[in-house]
Amino acid sequence: MAGGENGEHGGSGSRLESILNSHTLPLHKRLLLASGVEIRLLFHLAAPAVIVYMVNYVMSMSTQIFSGHLGNLELAAASLGNTGIQVFAYGLMLGMGSAVETLCGQAYGAQKYDMLGIYMQRSTVLLTATGIPLAIAYAFSRPILILLGQSPEIAKYASIFVYGLIPQIFAYAANFPIQKFLQAQSIVAPSAFISTATVLLHLVLSWLVVFKLGLGLLGASLVLSVSWWIVVAAQFVYIATSRRCRLTWTGFTWQAFTGLPEFLKLSTASAVMLCLETWYFQILVLIAGLLKNPELALDSLSVCMTISGWVFMISVGFNAAASVRVSNELGAGNPKSAAFSVFVVTIISFIISLIIVTIILFARDYISYIFTEGETVAKAVSDLCPLLAITIVLNGIQPVLSGVAVGCGWQAFVAYVNVACYYFVGIPAGILLGFDFGLGLGAKGIWSGMIGGTFIQTLILLWVTFRTNWSKEVEKAQKRLEAWDDKRKPLLANQSR
């Protein structure tokens, strides 16, 4: 095993499976002991992962806050640039990077450690190549936004903000494969420390660049790009020097450039699944820009979406934990442990979301003042808070189930579910409810329709997940590892189809 941590994880997984399979212990005692083991494993993964995602999100949110205090127009522009354009790239890169999550997690559970570093490098090569057309799209963001019907003035300022995010694209290309590589090994605490230190530096640099040097929107987004590159560099230094990665990282290899077409297919399936999911609520922001009072709609929605996104980071942390736990247990041949992990992580994430919703509803009249001044925006945000609460509750369940899907390799199936629920139900319903040719409910109507799509998707994923035959999933994991084993088939591109 690669170090004491790896041995501890493997021992805990085996212990969990033996508890669940025990015929000598009564059911209630088995469930109690198994819950203790699983909760310890989950929080060992989820707590640092939540910190990583939360702190990384704080960097983007703080950039938006700094921009908002320059004025309402700047807040609308930063919201449109950050939420309407930048998140499209984020969804694509995260989705493609998550292909590594299935392979690395199952390979680690099967103790095929040397495969992890090759998977990480292949993914980085593909994501970097993908970043080139994205950078070109960023450069033409102003005419793209105008073509989509956005206000020319807001589009002008949003494009300035987006220009500074071009270096961030390539930081994503390196960050997501590194992140999944570490998570698959249950190594998450170092990333939490790195992200926390970086966000403190980011806040200081943003204040200096925006307010002291007066570089405005462009300066704010450039600082965000620099901060992401600091995170990438620090994580890579950790991988290259840590004993915990000595078996999974053996240096750069030309194998990273072999088998790319086959690896691209898996990356595309993951990208389609997660892009459709990540982009869904960002489309809400673009649609809101077409309403009669786009500045107020964008301001109120951006505040609510930023809060939702912040809370969503908690669920994403549990998403990562669920993916690692399920893929590790499937790779290790422990079907009952995988199933039990799904149950425990879903319940815990749901309970946390209910607690957060209670706090937000009590503070609904005041939370907008964190982002911008003005009673008009505050009232609009307060009116949207019930919808925000419903979204947060759904997000307490849905991302966890998506993590389970990634751990099992169900990306293609979930992509079909996302298309049906989000784009054939949620968005059309939102347009019908939001605009004058329908019920004309404005931002509330758009958001209500989108929530309907998310609710249907969550129900489908719940039904599929809890009807899964986990013994068959173990068999599928073993077949997948055999097909992708680079030691057995060094050149993946030479595999027969």
Side-chain angles (χ1 to χ4, degrees):
M1 304 297 288
E5 296 86 351
N6 298 354
E8 179 187 348
H9 171 80
S12 299
S14 301
R15 182 186 172 204
L16 178 61
E17 190 73 11
S18 65
I19 291 171
L20 294 170
N21 283 322
S22 174
H23 298 292
T24 58
L25 294 173
L27 178 61
H28 72 278
K29 192 163 185 180
R30 268 187 287 161
L31 292 177
L32 187 63
L33 288 173
S35 297
V37 173
E38 182 59 35
I39 288 172
R40 184 177 69 85
L41 288 169
L42 279 175
F43 276 94
H44 170 73
L45 289 166
V50 167
I51 293 173
V52 169
Y53 287 109
M54 185 79 76
V55 169
N56 289 344
Y57 188 78
V58 164
M59 287 200 298
S60 294
M61 186 183 70
S62 64
T63 299
Q64 198 161 310
I65 291 173
F66 278 114
S67 301
H69 285 287
L70 291 170
N72 284 347
L73 177 61
E74 285 81 358
L75 174 62
S79 170
L80 189 58
N82 199 28
T83 312
I85 288 185
Q86 180 262 344
V87 173
F88 277 82
Y90 179 93
L92 179 62
M93 303 297 259
L94 175 62
M96 292 186 70
S98 293
V100 180
E101 199 163 356
T102 303
L103 294 171
C104 280
Q106 294 183 0
Y108 185 76
Q111 301 183 22
K112 299 183 177 182
Y113 300 127
D114 56 333
M115 296 165 62
L116 275 72
I118 296 171
Y119 293 154
M120 179 183 72
Q121 292 176 69
R122 278 200 188 130
S123 183
T124 303
V125 170
L126 284 176
L127 265 66
T128 301
T130 304
I132 296 172
L134 286 176
I136 295 172
Y138 273 39
F140 290 94
S141 57
R142 183 177 180 181
I144 290 172
L145 287 171
I146 293 174
L147 184 65
L148 292 172
Q150 302 302 312
S151 158
E153 188 176 16
I154 294 177
K156 175 186 174 182
Y157 279 84
S159 65
I160 293 172
F161 183 84
V162 169
Y163 295 154
L165 296 179
I166 291 176
Q168 185 190 48
I169 297 172
F170 299 98
Y172 286 162
N175 178 75
F176 293 131
I178 288 173
Q179 198 174 69
K180 304 306 179 185
F181 169 84
L182 290 171
Q183 286 175 359
Q185 303 171 70
S186 302
I187 301 174
V188 281
S191 294
F193 289 122
I194 290 168
S195 296
T196 302
T198 303
V199 78
L200 296 175
L201 178 62
H202 173 77
L203 293 173
V204 174
L205 288 176
S206 296
W207 177 76
L208 286 173
V209 168
V210 174
F211 296 117
K212 293 303 178 180
L213 298 180
L215 296 182
L217 286 173
L218 181 62
S221 57
L222 281 172
V223 170
L224 184 58
S225 292
V226 169
S227 298
W228 271 93
W229 271 109
I230 292 172
V231 170
V232 169
Q235 287 185 129
F236 182 74
V237 168
Y238 175 83
I239 290 172
T241 59
S242 173
R243 283 180 52 81
R244 297 176 71 180
C245 300
R246 72 184 187 277
L247 296 183
T248 53
W249 173 256
T250 55
F252 295 103
T253 172
W254 287 110
Q255 282 185 282
F257 297 92
T258 63
L260 291 177
E262 295 296 329
F263 205 85
L264 178 62
K265 291 180 182 179
L266 185 62
S267 296
T268 301
S270 295
V272 170
M273 170 191 149
L274 290 178
C275 282
L276 295 174
E277 197 170 297
T278 306
W279 292 347
Y280 181 50
F281 276 95
Q282 315 318 318
I283 291 174
L284 181 153
V285 176
L286 291 174
I287 295 174
L290 304 176
L291 293 171
K292 285 184 178 179
N293 188 351
E295 189 170 318
L296 177 62
L298 284 171
D299 284 349
S300 58
L301 275 173
S302 69
V303 170
C304 288
M305 294 305 295
T306 300
I307 294 168
S308 174
W310 197 357
V311 176
F312 185 71
M313 292 303 105
I314 298 175
S315 297
V316 170
F318 280 97
N319 167 295
S323 177
V324 172
R325 289 288 302 119
V326 170
S327 61
N328 283 177
E329 296 298 352
L330 292 178
N334 297 328
K336 289 188 177 179
S337 295
F340 190 74
S341 178
V342 171
F343 176 77
V344 172
V345 71
T346 304
I347 294 298
I348 291 174
S349 183
F350 178 66
I351 291 172
I352 292 173
S353 70
L354 290 179
I355 295 171
I356 293 171
V357 159
T358 304
I359 296 170
I360 286 175
L361 289 177
F362 272 111
R364 61 188 293 185
D365 294 328
Y366 311 103
I367 53 179
S368 70
Y369 291 105
I370 299 172
F371 303 89
T372 187
E373 291 81 16
E375 291 185 9
T376 305
V377 175
K379 185 178 184 304
V381 170
S382 180
D383 288 342
L384 288 175
C385 269
L387 298 177
L388 174 63
I390 296 171
T391 301
I392 289 173
V393 170
L394 289 175
N395 284 347
I397 303 172
Q398 184 270 335
V400 172
L401 298 178
S402 293
V404 173
V406 171
C408 294
W410 299 341
Q411 289 96 323
F413 166 76
V414 178
Y416 288 118
V417 173
N418 288 353
V419 169
C421 296
Y422 291 166
Y423 298 90
F424 291 140
V425 177
I427 292 175
I431 292 172
L432 185 63
L433 292 171
F435 287 87
D436 289 339
F437 56 80
L439 294 181
L441 298 177
K444 282 186 178 179
I446 294 172
W447 201 342
S448 296
M450 306 287 250
I451 286 174
T454 306
F455 179 72
I456 295 172
Q457 185 236 24
T458 302
L459 288 181
I460 293 173
L461 290 183
L462 277 171
W463 180 73
V464 170
T465 300
F466 288 101
R467 288 184 71 256
T468 297
N469 184 325
W470 293 100
S471 295
K472 288 186 178 179
E473 291 302 320
V474 168
E475 294 175 9
K476 291 178 184 177
Q478 299 301 324
K479 290 178 181 178
R480 184 180 295 114
L481 286 174
E482 289 175 7
W484 289 80
D485 190 338
D486 284 311
K487 291 183 71 175
R488 193 173 65 86
K489 297 179 179 179
L491 295 179
L492 185 57
N494 293 335
Q495 290 183 28
S496 58
R497 294 171 183 261

